[in-house]
Amino acid sequence: AQSVSQHNHHVILSEAASLELGCNYSYGGTVNLFWYVQYPGQHLQLLLKYFSGDPLVKGIKGFEAEFIKSKFSFNLRKPSVQWSDTAEYFCAVNAYGQNFVFGPGTRLSVLP
Amino acid sequence: DTEVTQTPKHLVMGMTNKKSLKCEQHMGHRAMYWYKQKAKKPPELMFVYSYEKLSINESVPSRFSPECPNSSLLNLHLHALQPEDSALYLCASSQGVTNQPQHFGDGTRLSIL
């Protein structure tokens, strides 16, 4: 069975700082990888996804993520965060024939 | 705005009540899901419907009963719930069960008295 871990429970940054949120998964086969964001009081929104091809994927709102197969990682990055990026971020994995599995989430607080 | 619509947004019910949560999508998706999300936790999968048939039930207690009347609608019938069932209930849909991102509704915030 697949599982997902996220390195940080809570990250606090000042505006304009760079962001990297870690995500690791355990599954030996081919996986599809996702990052979702949940702003306070709102629904889960897809930030970006990786299915195949270029391991560096670009998403909405200036986010990008890099798939490193050898490290089973799919870290989320943003060069310069804004106060409006304050939210909960979930990494998710979906392998063929398996359920969608979410990581525990990382809460990002951006200080103005 | 999300393309998956859930009603009601909030629901307060007693432990003996019977109520239903509703979910609707018009994206032509053939897979629909119910998740339960507790505060500051990731969504936990409850049920998966694929082509209107229940394909996954993640050992959910029988006091939760899903129903998929057609490819656009998904219901969750609630009966004799417990206080620990208080949570945000999320509906999601995707084109297929695998290899596709899921689109989430805003959720129904359920409180059991």
Side-chain angles (χ1 to χ4, degrees):
Chain A
Q2 51 195 346
S3 67
V4 183
S5 62
Q6 291 182 237
H7 304 167
N8 309 99
H9 178 65
H10 188 191
V11 173
I12 303 173
L13 295 173
S14 298
E15 275 194 316
S18 64
L19 170 72
E20 181 159 1
L21 301 182
C23 171
N24 285 88
Y25 66 93
S26 65
Y27 185 75
T30 302
V31 294
N32 303 309
L33 298 155
F34 308 86
W35 275 98
Y36 282 86
V37 60
Q38 190 171 30
Y39 297 104
Q42 295 191 26
H43 63 275
L44 281 155
Q45 297 177 42
L46 181 67
L47 272 179
L48 47 78
K49 61 184 185 288
Y50 173 80
F51 287 171
S52 64
D54 189 345
L56 184 63
V57 292
K58 294 194 184 300
I60 61 171
K61 302 178 191 275
F63 286 91
E64 64 177 33
E66 185 176 12
F67 170 54
I68 303 179
K69 190 174 181 180
S70 60
K71 295 185 178 180
F72 298 88
S73 69
F74 189 56
N75 292 355
L76 181 72
R77 299 195 290 251
K78 185 170 183 178
S80 175
V81 294
Q82 301 171 305
W83 177 78
S84 57
D85 293 322
T86 294
E88 190 87 19
Y89 291 81
F90 293 99
C91 181
V93 173
N94 177 219
Y96 185 80
Q98 306 281 327
N99 292 341
F100 220 75
V101 175
F102 284 90
T106 296
R107 183 155 57 105
L108 173 64
S109 298
V110 180
L111 306 178
Chain B
D1 287 333
T2 176
E3 296 165 315
V4 178
T5 305
Q6 289 188 244
T7 55
K9 292 196 183 303
H10 301 275
L11 179 62
V12 179
M13 57 188 285
M15 289 190 283
T16 58
N17 293 157
K18 283 186 184 181
K19 297 284 184 184
S20 296
L21 308 184
K22 297 187 184 303
C23 174
E24 189 168 2
Q25 57 87 14
H26 294 289
M27 295 179 281
H29 289 175
R30 304 315 301 263
M32 296 186 77
Y33 311 78
W34 279 116
Y35 286 87
K36 174 181 178 180
Q37 187 180 24
K38 290 282 208 180
K40 303 190 190 307
K41 297 289 186 184
E44 297 173 21
L45 184 65
M46 299 174 71
F47 302 104
V48 180
Y49 272 83
S50 178
Y51 290 86
E52 301 161 49
K53 290 189 181 347
L54 182 64
S55 62
I56 295 173
N57 175 342
E58 288 288 341
S59 303
V60 179
S62 60
R63 57 186 185 267
F64 295 92
S65 174
E67 179 199 16
C68 189
N70 60 56
S71 60
S72 301
L73 294 174
L74 186 66
N75 298 325
L76 186 62
H77 303 299
L78 315 172
H79 174 54
L81 295 194
Q82 304 297 310
E84 62 265 26
D85 296 322
S86 297
L88 181 68
Y89 287 83
L90 296 166
C91 175
S93 70
S94 62
Q95 280 190 317
V97 177
T98 57
N99 243 35
Q100 302 293 335
Q102 296 182 13
H103 299 257
F104 285 83
D106 287 334
T108 294
R109 190 158 298 282
L110 177 65
S111 299
I112 307 300
L113 302 179

